[in-house]
Amino acid sequence: MSPEDTNTQAWHIYGQRQLAHAYTPPVPARLGWTPWEGIGPGAEVLGEITGRRVLDIGSGAGHHAVHLAQAHGALVTGIELSPTQH
């Protein structure tokens, strides 16, 4: 199996597990760029985004997109290829 196929299969298995457990990630109070809370910059690196269009590529369940829309007034479009993340 190619590395790409292995990666695709792993994400599919992970997504199915998350769906089976009815897991929905919480909308964060602060946008994070790393899996560690408070590490790295927040949405401030994007500049003023109120009323601006933002594209969230690989948005997963969309929790960061929701944060940008609710807390910063951005108009967010999320793209996610994994059907288990929709």
Side-chain angles (χ1 to χ4, degrees), residues 11-56:
W11 278 109
H12 183 74
I13 291 168
Y14 170 78
Q16 289 295 336
R17 181 188 172 281
Q18 297 297 74
L19 287 173
H21 289 87
Y23 175 73
T24 302
V27 175
R30 178 182 184 275
L31 184 65
W33 303 90
T34 69
W36 304 283
E37 185 68 32
I39 303 297
E44 68 273 3
V45 301
L46 301 175
E48 179 56 48
I49 60 172
T50 302
R52 301 205 54 195
R53 295 185 59 132
V54 174
L55 178 60
D56 182 5

Side-chain angles (χ1 to χ4, degrees), residues 64-78:
H64 288 113
V66 171
H67 168 78
L68 291 174
Q70 289 180 345
H72 300 280
L75 306 171
V76 184
T77 299

